[in-house]
Amino acid sequence: MNGNGSTRREFLTLVGTSTAVLVVAGCTTNQTAAPPVPSGGVFAQPAESHSVDGRLAVTLVAEATMVPLGTGTRYAYTYNGSTPGPTLRVRPGDTVVVTLQNRLDTDTNLHTHGLHVSPTGGSDDVFVMVRPGGEHTYTYDIPADHPSGLFWYHPHAHGHVAEQIAAGLAGAIVISDDLDDITEITASTERLFILADPSIGDSKAILATSQMGRMQGREGDIVVVNGIVQPTVAVVAGTLERWRILNSSASRYYRLALDNHQLHVIASDGGRLTAPVTVSEILLAPGERTEVLVTPIAAGSNRLRALRYDRGSSGMGGGMGGRASTSTAETVIATVNVTGTAAAAALPPSLAKLSPISPTITATRTVTLAMGGGGGMGGGSMMAFTIDGKSFVPGRTDITARLGTTEQWSIRNTSVMDHPFHLHVWPFQIIDGPPTSGWKDTVNVPARSTVTIRVTFTDLPGRTVYHCHILDHEDLGMMGIIDVTP
Ligand code: C2O
Ligand code: CU
Ligand code: CU
């Protein structure tokens, strides 16, 4: 699956960096000589921890571990010995206490992506660092009116985020509420698909990434679902399948389609929809989630595929023409084996009431994502990754917003690559961009285009970040700080 070599070279030529870097770039994907890739494991889900009487307390130990890969093993970073880490299952109103122990040799910490919880006071504070050998206890109070859905946890130690997530540090948080009590949903089979694309090898050498790999956003050697290569999912015709899907990759996009079946979307990121929306494919950028119902009908083997997607763009560099970067080849993610011949199960006619976002806008902003010419970052030919012309500085506040207001942001991408824009703590709705009526926390902003969102700062004041969820871009500075003040 090392098909990136030629596209990396093209990108390199187009950005006009030296051929000396080309050699380095060419080495990274090939150096960790990929062992033969096993496929066709049986679908399995991560271990789970449930809250009891409104409380869940867990310890997550981050460390390097050899994890199973087919009949062999591969090097990874794990929580409690596995990647993905345990799924945390909770309900609105619960208190979740996580003690993070750092047994890595670099700083790490924890972020609860998509949770509407406080960014301060020992809660989802990404400015806390946990040193090697250290530990920290986070306490998250999940509001009683928190939406249900799929969220996730992962490290957020600036400069190490792409490496640590790509190495395997990620896990799911599932919040359940009365949506789960709808008759059709209760009768469905719920499955979690955590998509990742690790580099494979038997040592820490797999973490090494060239400047070019970081500028493009690193992609690994294989695609796994819950750590398993091309698992087989056994389903029965006439039943309803409910799949929660997370893109936990550092950079890779997944354009998902299932042979012979439509996908009925019931939630986007943290936002349930009012009724199922039927589509034939779904694009999931890094950090995004979707929840779909599937009605198995076509007996036999159906591939769940990631179709080809190009997150770069053609024509970069004026008249140079050609493709600039990062197109992923079509990949089989899983095989869905349908038995039986019953007709499709019925879908729930409606799901939930979606509270509309306030129509009163107190401020409008333009947030500009850009990739600048070389020389700006880290010397050499590394280009600058900026938001509003600035690379991330921990002490600086870039946006100040007032608690209780609603703002409209036009997120403008002036570069030749897509950037998935993510805001912590306060969910938003898309006014102009990828069509979805649900609440979002991450949205893809395609190359040379603008997406408009509306975000409401109802509660939970504090200081946190917004950034590109191609995590190498975040580590390279495409991140800013927002302070929401009473
Ligand atoms: Cu998924 Cu700032 O995070
Ligand atoms: Cu986040
Ligand atoms: Cu980016």
Side-chain angles (χ1 to χ4, degrees), residues 2-19 21-30 212 216 320 323-326:
N2 271 331
N4 307 9
S6 64
T7 53
R8 283 181 191 221
R9 261 163 231 129
E10 278 169 332
F11 183 80
L12 189 75
T13 310
L14 291 163
V15 296
T17 40
S18 73
T19 45
V21 183
L22 172 65
V23 177
V24 178
C27 284
T28 42
T29 41
N30 301 331
M212 184 52 52
Q216 290 188 323
M320 299 182 77
R323 293 205 153 273
S325 95
T326 60

PDB file of all heavy atoms in Angstrom, residues 2-19 21-30 212 216 320 323-326:
ATOM      1  N   ASN A   2       2.101   1.125  -0.382  1.00  0.00           N
ATOM      2  CA  ASN A   2       2.947   2.308  -0.404  1.00  0.00           C
ATOM      3  C   ASN A   2       2.817   3.066  -1.712  1.00  0.00           C
ATOM      4  O   ASN A   2       3.791   3.321  -2.391  1.00  0.00           O
ATOM      5  CB  ASN A   2       4.404   1.912  -0.179  1.00  0.00           C
ATOM      6  CG  ASN A   2       4.720   1.905   1.298  1.00  0.00           C
ATOM      7  OD1 ASN A   2       4.100   2.654   2.046  1.00  0.00           O
ATOM      8  ND2 ASN A   2       5.641   1.076   1.700  1.00  0.00           N
ATOM      9  N   GLY A   3       1.615   3.442  -2.037  1.00  0.00           N
ATOM     10  CA  GLY A   3       1.403   4.081  -3.321  1.00  0.00           C
ATOM     11  C   GLY A   3       1.660   5.577  -3.329  1.00  0.00           C
ATOM     12  O   GLY A   3       1.410   6.248  -4.309  1.00  0.00           O
ATOM     13  N   ASN A   4       2.184   6.102  -2.209  1.00  0.00           N
ATOM     14  CA  ASN A   4       2.283   7.562  -2.125  1.00  0.00           C
ATOM     15  C   ASN A   4       3.527   8.126  -2.776  1.00  0.00           C
ATOM     16  O   ASN A   4       3.635   9.319  -2.945  1.00  0.00           O
ATOM     17  CB  ASN A   4       2.338   8.050  -0.679  1.00  0.00           C
ATOM     18  CG  ASN A   4       1.196   7.496   0.133  1.00  0.00           C
ATOM     19  OD1 ASN A   4       0.504   6.650  -0.375  1.00  0.00           O
ATOM     20  ND2 ASN A   4       1.030   7.963   1.330  1.00  0.00           N
ATOM     21  N   GLY A   5       4.487   7.289  -3.052  1.00  0.00           N
ATOM     22  CA  GLY A   5       5.779   7.782  -3.505  1.00  0.00           C
ATOM     23  C   GLY A   5       5.691   8.791  -4.624  1.00  0.00           C
ATOM     24  O   GLY A   5       6.222   9.888  -4.536  1.00  0.00           O
ATOM     25  N   SER A   6       4.964   8.452  -5.647  1.00  0.00           N
ATOM     26  CA  SER A   6       4.964   9.339  -6.806  1.00  0.00           C
ATOM     27  C   SER A   6       4.206  10.631  -6.521  1.00  0.00           C
ATOM     28  O   SER A   6       4.631  11.694  -6.930  1.00  0.00           O
ATOM     29  CB  SER A   6       4.361   8.623  -8.012  1.00  0.00           C
ATOM     30  OG  SER A   6       3.022   8.325  -7.752  1.00  0.00           O
ATOM     31  N   THR A   7       3.119  10.534  -5.760  1.00  0.00           N
ATOM     32  CA  THR A   7       2.384  11.779  -5.491  1.00  0.00           C
ATOM     33  C   THR A   7       3.218  12.687  -4.603  1.00  0.00           C
ATOM     34  O   THR A   7       3.185  13.889  -4.727  1.00  0.00           O
ATOM     35  CB  THR A   7       1.030  11.491  -4.831  1.00  0.00           C
ATOM     36  OG1 THR A   7       1.243  10.671  -3.702  1.00  0.00           O
ATOM     37  CG2 THR A   7       0.076  10.866  -5.791  1.00  0.00           C
ATOM     38  N   ARG A   8       3.978  12.107  -3.672  1.00  0.00           N
ATOM     39  CA  ARG A   8       4.842  12.942  -2.845  1.00  0.00           C
ATOM     40  C   ARG A   8       5.842  13.689  -3.711  1.00  0.00           C
ATOM     41  O   ARG A   8       6.113  14.844  -3.507  1.00  0.00           O
ATOM     42  CB  ARG A   8       5.608  12.092  -1.834  1.00  0.00           C
ATOM     43  CG  ARG A   8       4.678  11.711  -0.725  1.00  0.00           C
ATOM     44  CD  ARG A   8       5.302  10.900   0.338  1.00  0.00           C
ATOM     45  NE  ARG A   8       4.207  10.425   1.171  1.00  0.00           N
ATOM     46  CZ  ARG A   8       4.230  10.366   2.483  1.00  0.00           C
ATOM     47  NH1 ARG A   8       5.311  10.718   3.120  1.00  0.00           N
ATOM     48  NH2 ARG A   8       3.206   9.958   3.145  1.00  0.00           N
ATOM     49  N   ARG A   9       6.387  12.985  -4.669  1.00  0.00           N
ATOM     50  CA  ARG A   9       7.376  13.625  -5.529  1.00  0.00           C
ATOM     51  C   ARG A   9       6.751  14.758  -6.333  1.00  0.00           C
ATOM     52  O   ARG A   9       7.329  15.809  -6.465  1.00  0.00           O
ATOM     53  CB  ARG A   9       7.995  12.590  -6.471  1.00  0.00           C
ATOM     54  CG  ARG A   9       9.337  12.118  -5.960  1.00  0.00           C
ATOM     55  CD  ARG A   9       9.772  10.835  -6.621  1.00  0.00           C
ATOM     56  NE  ARG A   9      10.154   9.890  -5.610  1.00  0.00           N
ATOM     57  CZ  ARG A   9       9.711   8.663  -5.522  1.00  0.00           C
ATOM     58  NH1 ARG A   9       8.877   8.218  -6.415  1.00  0.00           N
ATOM     59  NH2 ARG A   9      10.089   7.893  -4.554  1.00  0.00           N
ATOM     60  N   GLU A  10       5.559  14.526  -6.832  1.00  0.00           N
ATOM     61  CA  GLU A  10       4.894  15.585  -7.597  1.00  0.00           C
ATOM     62  C   GLU A  10       4.678  16.816  -6.744  1.00  0.00           C
ATOM     63  O   GLU A  10       4.954  17.918  -7.137  1.00  0.00           O
ATOM     64  CB  GLU A  10       3.535  15.088  -8.108  1.00  0.00           C
ATOM     65  CG  GLU A  10       3.655  14.284  -9.373  1.00  0.00           C
ATOM     66  CD  GLU A  10       2.346  13.597  -9.703  1.00  0.00           C
ATOM     67  OE1 GLU A  10       1.567  13.292  -8.801  1.00  0.00           O
ATOM     68  OE2 GLU A  10       2.128  13.387 -10.882  1.00  0.00           O
ATOM     69  N   PHE A  11       4.176  16.582  -5.525  1.00  0.00           N
ATOM     70  CA  PHE A  11       3.908  17.690  -4.621  1.00  0.00           C
ATOM     71  C   PHE A  11       5.183  18.478  -4.386  1.00  0.00           C
ATOM     72  O   PHE A  11       5.228  19.687  -4.443  1.00  0.00           O
ATOM     73  CB  PHE A  11       3.372  17.140  -3.297  1.00  0.00           C
ATOM     74  CG  PHE A  11       3.004  18.204  -2.310  1.00  0.00           C
ATOM     75  CD1 PHE A  11       1.789  18.869  -2.408  1.00  0.00           C
ATOM     76  CD2 PHE A  11       3.875  18.545  -1.292  1.00  0.00           C
ATOM     77  CE1 PHE A  11       1.454  19.852  -1.494  1.00  0.00           C
ATOM     78  CE2 PHE A  11       3.536  19.525  -0.376  1.00  0.00           C
ATOM     79  CZ  PHE A  11       2.330  20.178  -0.474  1.00  0.00           C
ATOM     80  N   LEU A  12       6.252  17.716  -4.171  1.00  0.00           N
ATOM     81  CA  LEU A  12       7.540  18.321  -3.891  1.00  0.00           C
ATOM     82  C   LEU A  12       7.983  19.212  -5.041  1.00  0.00           C
ATOM     83  O   LEU A  12       8.399  20.349  -4.862  1.00  0.00           O
ATOM     84  CB  LEU A  12       8.547  17.191  -3.686  1.00  0.00           C
ATOM     85  CG  LEU A  12       9.889  17.627  -3.181  1.00  0.00           C
ATOM     86  CD1 LEU A  12       9.754  17.965  -1.708  1.00  0.00           C
ATOM     87  CD2 LEU A  12      10.883  16.529  -3.374  1.00  0.00           C
ATOM     88  N   THR A  13       7.864  18.694  -6.233  1.00  0.00           N
ATOM     89  CA  THR A  13       8.262  19.472  -7.394  1.00  0.00           C
ATOM     90  C   THR A  13       7.451  20.758  -7.460  1.00  0.00           C
ATOM     91  O   THR A  13       7.960  21.839  -7.672  1.00  0.00           O
ATOM     92  CB  THR A  13       7.985  18.664  -8.676  1.00  0.00           C
ATOM     93  OG1 THR A  13       8.546  17.384  -8.493  1.00  0.00           O
ATOM     94  CG2 THR A  13       8.589  19.333  -9.869  1.00  0.00           C
ATOM     95  N   LEU A  14       6.173  20.610  -7.194  1.00  0.00           N
ATOM     96  CA  LEU A  14       5.295  21.752  -7.353  1.00  0.00           C
ATOM     97  C   LEU A  14       5.531  22.820  -6.307  1.00  0.00           C
ATOM     98  O   LEU A  14       5.365  23.989  -6.574  1.00  0.00           O
ATOM     99  CB  LEU A  14       3.841  21.281  -7.333  1.00  0.00           C
ATOM    100  CG  LEU A  14       3.486  20.473  -8.580  1.00  0.00           C
ATOM    101  CD1 LEU A  14       2.221  19.676  -8.357  1.00  0.00           C
ATOM    102  CD2 LEU A  14       3.342  21.385  -9.785  1.00  0.00           C
ATOM    103  N   VAL A  15       5.899  22.431  -5.085  1.00  0.00           N
ATOM    104  CA  VAL A  15       6.164  23.472  -4.107  1.00  0.00           C
ATOM    105  C   VAL A  15       7.574  24.025  -4.284  1.00  0.00           C
ATOM    106  O   VAL A  15       7.959  24.977  -3.630  1.00  0.00           O
ATOM    107  CB  VAL A  15       5.961  23.022  -2.634  1.00  0.00           C
ATOM    108  CG1 VAL A  15       4.525  22.679  -2.402  1.00  0.00           C
ATOM    109  CG2 VAL A  15       6.872  21.881  -2.270  1.00  0.00           C
ATOM    110  N   GLY A  16       8.348  23.429  -5.167  1.00  0.00           N
ATOM    111  CA  GLY A  16       9.616  24.027  -5.558  1.00  0.00           C
ATOM    112  C   GLY A  16      10.720  23.873  -4.531  1.00  0.00           C
ATOM    113  O   GLY A  16      11.642  24.680  -4.470  1.00  0.00           O
ATOM    114  N   THR A  17      10.652  22.830  -3.708  1.00  0.00           N
ATOM    115  CA  THR A  17      11.744  22.623  -2.757  1.00  0.00           C
ATOM    116  C   THR A  17      12.860  21.822  -3.431  1.00  0.00           C
ATOM    117  O   THR A  17      12.722  21.354  -4.542  1.00  0.00           O
ATOM    118  CB  THR A  17      11.243  21.909  -1.493  1.00  0.00           C
ATOM    119  OG1 THR A  17      10.332  20.913  -1.885  1.00  0.00           O
ATOM    120  CG2 THR A  17      10.560  22.897  -0.588  1.00  0.00           C
ATOM    121  N   SER A  18      13.953  21.671  -2.703  1.00  0.00           N
ATOM    122  CA  SER A  18      15.152  21.114  -3.339  1.00  0.00           C
ATOM    123  C   SER A  18      15.065  19.602  -3.503  1.00  0.00           C
ATOM    124  O   SER A  18      14.344  18.920  -2.796  1.00  0.00           O
ATOM    125  CB  SER A  18      16.369  21.451  -2.487  1.00  0.00           C
ATOM    126  OG  SER A  18      16.333  20.649  -1.321  1.00  0.00           O
ATOM    127  N   THR A  19      15.863  19.083  -4.393  1.00  0.00           N
ATOM    128  CA  THR A  19      15.885  17.644  -4.605  1.00  0.00           C
ATOM    129  C   THR A  19      16.533  16.928  -3.429  1.00  0.00           C
ATOM    130  O   THR A  19      16.324  15.751  -3.228  1.00  0.00           O
ATOM    131  CB  THR A  19      16.644  17.282  -5.895  1.00  0.00           C
ATOM    132  OG1 THR A  19      17.840  18.060  -5.919  1.00  0.00           O
ATOM    133  CG2 THR A  19      15.826  17.552  -7.115  1.00  0.00           C
ATOM    134  N   VAL A  21      15.722  17.287  -0.419  1.00  0.00           N
ATOM    135  CA  VAL A  21      14.602  16.880   0.430  1.00  0.00           C
ATOM    136  C   VAL A  21      13.877  15.695  -0.191  1.00  0.00           C
ATOM    137  O   VAL A  21      13.386  14.823   0.506  1.00  0.00           O
ATOM    138  CB  VAL A  21      13.625  18.057   0.651  1.00  0.00           C
ATOM    139  CG1 VAL A  21      12.510  17.644   1.595  1.00  0.00           C
ATOM    140  CG2 VAL A  21      14.369  19.251   1.209  1.00  0.00           C
ATOM    141  N   LEU A  22      13.872  15.652  -1.499  1.00  0.00           N
ATOM    142  CA  LEU A  22      13.201  14.559  -2.201  1.00  0.00           C
ATOM    143  C   LEU A  22      13.717  13.211  -1.714  1.00  0.00           C
ATOM    144  O   LEU A  22      12.950  12.300  -1.452  1.00  0.00           O
ATOM    145  CB  LEU A  22      13.433  14.695  -3.708  1.00  0.00           C
ATOM    146  CG  LEU A  22      12.961  13.510  -4.568  1.00  0.00           C
ATOM    147  CD1 LEU A  22      11.452  13.375  -4.492  1.00  0.00           C
ATOM    148  CD2 LEU A  22      13.420  13.682  -6.001  1.00  0.00           C
ATOM    149  N   VAL A  23      15.032  13.119  -1.529  1.00  0.00           N
ATOM    150  CA  VAL A  23      15.620  11.859  -1.098  1.00  0.00           C
ATOM    151  C   VAL A  23      15.074  11.478   0.277  1.00  0.00           C
ATOM    152  O   VAL A  23      14.638  10.363   0.498  1.00  0.00           O
ATOM    153  CB  VAL A  23      17.163  11.973  -1.051  1.00  0.00           C
ATOM    154  CG1 VAL A  23      17.766  10.685  -0.543  1.00  0.00           C
ATOM    155  CG2 VAL A  23      17.681  12.303  -2.448  1.00  0.00           C
ATOM    156  N   VAL A  24      15.057  12.454   1.159  1.00  0.00           N
ATOM    157  CA  VAL A  24      14.547  12.205   2.513  1.00  0.00           C
ATOM    158  C   VAL A  24      13.084  11.793   2.451  1.00  0.00           C
ATOM    159  O   VAL A  24      12.664  10.821   3.052  1.00  0.00           O
ATOM    160  CB  VAL A  24      14.690  13.482   3.377  1.00  0.00           C
ATOM    161  CG1 VAL A  24      14.119  13.228   4.760  1.00  0.00           C
ATOM    162  CG2 VAL A  24      16.151  13.873   3.474  1.00  0.00           C
ATOM    163  N   ALA A  25      12.327  12.538   1.655  1.00  0.00           N
ATOM    164  CA  ALA A  25      10.903  12.257   1.572  1.00  0.00           C
ATOM    165  C   ALA A  25      10.660  10.863   1.031  1.00  0.00           C
ATOM    166  O   ALA A  25       9.816  10.134   1.524  1.00  0.00           O
ATOM    167  CB  ALA A  25      10.218  13.289   0.678  1.00  0.00           C
ATOM    168  N   GLY A  26      11.444  10.481   0.037  1.00  0.00           N
ATOM    169  CA  GLY A  26      11.255   9.176  -0.578  1.00  0.00           C
ATOM    170  C   GLY A  26      11.529   8.045   0.399  1.00  0.00           C
ATOM    171  O   GLY A  26      10.956   6.978   0.301  1.00  0.00           O
ATOM    172  N   CYS A  27      12.413   8.306   1.374  1.00  0.00           N
ATOM    173  CA  CYS A  27      12.811   7.252   2.301  1.00  0.00           C
ATOM    174  C   CYS A  27      11.728   6.881   3.307  1.00  0.00           C
ATOM    175  O   CYS A  27      11.580   5.739   3.665  1.00  0.00           O
ATOM    176  CB  CYS A  27      14.046   7.668   3.100  1.00  0.00           C
ATOM    177  SG  CYS A  27      15.531   7.545   2.110  1.00  0.00           S
ATOM    178  N   THR A  28      10.997   7.882   3.777  1.00  0.00           N
ATOM    179  CA  THR A  28      10.193   7.620   4.967  1.00  0.00           C
ATOM    180  C   THR A  28       9.178   6.509   4.810  1.00  0.00           C
ATOM    181  O   THR A  28       9.065   5.675   5.680  1.00  0.00           O
ATOM    182  CB  THR A  28       9.429   8.869   5.423  1.00  0.00           C
ATOM    183  OG1 THR A  28       8.932   9.483   4.254  1.00  0.00           O
ATOM    184  CG2 THR A  28      10.306   9.777   6.212  1.00  0.00           C
ATOM    185  N   THR A  29       8.468   6.493   3.707  1.00  0.00           N
ATOM    186  CA  THR A  29       7.446   5.455   3.629  1.00  0.00           C
ATOM    187  C   THR A  29       8.058   4.099   3.319  1.00  0.00           C
ATOM    188  O   THR A  29       7.513   3.086   3.700  1.00  0.00           O
ATOM    189  CB  THR A  29       6.397   5.785   2.550  1.00  0.00           C
ATOM    190  OG1 THR A  29       7.071   6.312   1.434  1.00  0.00           O
ATOM    191  CG2 THR A  29       5.354   6.737   3.076  1.00  0.00           C
ATOM    192  N   ASN A  30       9.201   4.114   2.668  1.00  0.00           N
ATOM    193  CA  ASN A  30       9.751   2.833   2.251  1.00  0.00           C
ATOM    194  C   ASN A  30      10.701   2.221   3.279  1.00  0.00           C
ATOM    195  O   ASN A  30      10.929   1.037   3.286  1.00  0.00           O
ATOM    196  CB  ASN A  30      10.507   2.995   0.932  1.00  0.00           C
ATOM    197  CG  ASN A  30       9.591   3.533  -0.147  1.00  0.00           C
ATOM    198  OD1 ASN A  30       8.391   3.284  -0.101  1.00  0.00           O
ATOM    199  ND2 ASN A  30      10.131   4.296  -1.080  1.00  0.00           N
ATOM    200  N   MET A 212       8.502  16.655   4.206  1.00  0.00           N
ATOM    201  CA  MET A 212       7.449  16.604   3.189  1.00  0.00           C
ATOM    202  C   MET A 212       6.214  15.866   3.713  1.00  0.00           C
ATOM    203  O   MET A 212       5.088  16.276   3.499  1.00  0.00           O
ATOM    204  CB  MET A 212       8.003  15.915   1.933  1.00  0.00           C
ATOM    205  CG  MET A 212       7.043  15.880   0.771  1.00  0.00           C
ATOM    206  SD  MET A 212       6.346  17.499   0.337  1.00  0.00           S
ATOM    207  CE  MET A 212       7.854  18.448   0.186  1.00  0.00           C
ATOM    208  N   GLN A 216       2.531  17.541   3.987  1.00  0.00           N
ATOM    209  CA  GLN A 216       1.344  16.959   3.355  1.00  0.00           C
ATOM    210  C   GLN A 216       0.362  16.427   4.383  1.00  0.00           C
ATOM    211  O   GLN A 216      -0.832  16.341   4.120  1.00  0.00           O
ATOM    212  CB  GLN A 216       1.760  15.805   2.454  1.00  0.00           C
ATOM    213  CG  GLN A 216       2.493  16.258   1.216  1.00  0.00           C
ATOM    214  CD  GLN A 216       2.707  15.108   0.266  1.00  0.00           C
ATOM    215  OE1 GLN A 216       2.959  13.974   0.687  1.00  0.00           O
ATOM    216  NE2 GLN A 216       2.618  15.391  -1.010  1.00  0.00           N
ATOM    217  N   MET A 320       2.095  25.444 -13.609  1.00  0.00           N
ATOM    218  CA  MET A 320       2.845  24.190 -13.577  1.00  0.00           C
ATOM    219  C   MET A 320       1.963  22.998 -13.906  1.00  0.00           C
ATOM    220  O   MET A 320       2.431  21.964 -14.333  1.00  0.00           O
ATOM    221  CB  MET A 320       3.481  23.993 -12.208  1.00  0.00           C
ATOM    222  CG  MET A 320       4.459  25.110 -11.886  1.00  0.00           C
ATOM    223  SD  MET A 320       5.263  24.867 -10.292  1.00  0.00           S
ATOM    224  CE  MET A 320       6.457  23.627 -10.715  1.00  0.00           C
ATOM    225  N   ARG A 323      -1.101  17.404 -10.799  1.00  0.00           N
ATOM    226  CA  ARG A 323      -1.728  17.223  -9.496  1.00  0.00           C
ATOM    227  C   ARG A 323      -0.733  17.552  -8.398  1.00  0.00           C
ATOM    228  O   ARG A 323       0.417  17.208  -8.468  1.00  0.00           O
ATOM    229  CB  ARG A 323      -2.162  15.771  -9.320  1.00  0.00           C
ATOM    230  CG  ARG A 323      -3.256  15.401 -10.250  1.00  0.00           C
ATOM    231  CD  ARG A 323      -4.056  14.253  -9.668  1.00  0.00           C
ATOM    232  NE  ARG A 323      -5.386  14.319 -10.200  1.00  0.00           N
ATOM    233  CZ  ARG A 323      -6.346  15.041  -9.651  1.00  0.00           C
ATOM    234  NH1 ARG A 323      -6.138  15.715  -8.556  1.00  0.00           N
ATOM    235  NH2 ARG A 323      -7.525  15.071 -10.188  1.00  0.00           N
ATOM    236  N   ALA A 324      -1.206  18.204  -7.394  1.00  0.00           N
ATOM    237  CA  ALA A 324      -0.377  18.505  -6.259  1.00  0.00           C
ATOM    238  C   ALA A 324      -0.787  17.644  -5.088  1.00  0.00           C
ATOM    239  O   ALA A 324      -1.684  18.005  -4.355  1.00  0.00           O
ATOM    240  CB  ALA A 324      -0.507  19.971  -5.914  1.00  0.00           C
ATOM    241  N   SER A 325      -0.215  16.509  -4.921  1.00  0.00           N
ATOM    242  CA  SER A 325      -0.279  15.749  -3.672  1.00  0.00           C
ATOM    243  C   SER A 325      -1.282  14.628  -3.499  1.00  0.00           C
ATOM    244  O   SER A 325      -2.010  14.288  -4.362  1.00  0.00           O
ATOM    245  CB  SER A 325      -0.476  16.695  -2.500  1.00  0.00           C
ATOM    246  OG  SER A 325      -1.805  16.837  -2.153  1.00  0.00           O
ATOM    247  N   THR A 326      -1.243  14.035  -2.446  1.00  0.00           N
ATOM    248  CA  THR A 326      -2.087  13.333  -1.516  1.00  0.00           C
ATOM    249  C   THR A 326      -3.409  12.813  -2.045  1.00  0.00           C
ATOM    250  O   THR A 326      -4.451  13.118  -1.494  1.00  0.00           O
ATOM    251  CB  THR A 326      -2.434  14.280  -0.368  1.00  0.00           C
ATOM    252  OG1 THR A 326      -3.096  15.358  -0.925  1.00  0.00           O
ATOM    253  CG2 THR A 326      -1.237  14.705   0.398  1.00  0.00           C
TER     254      THR A 326
END
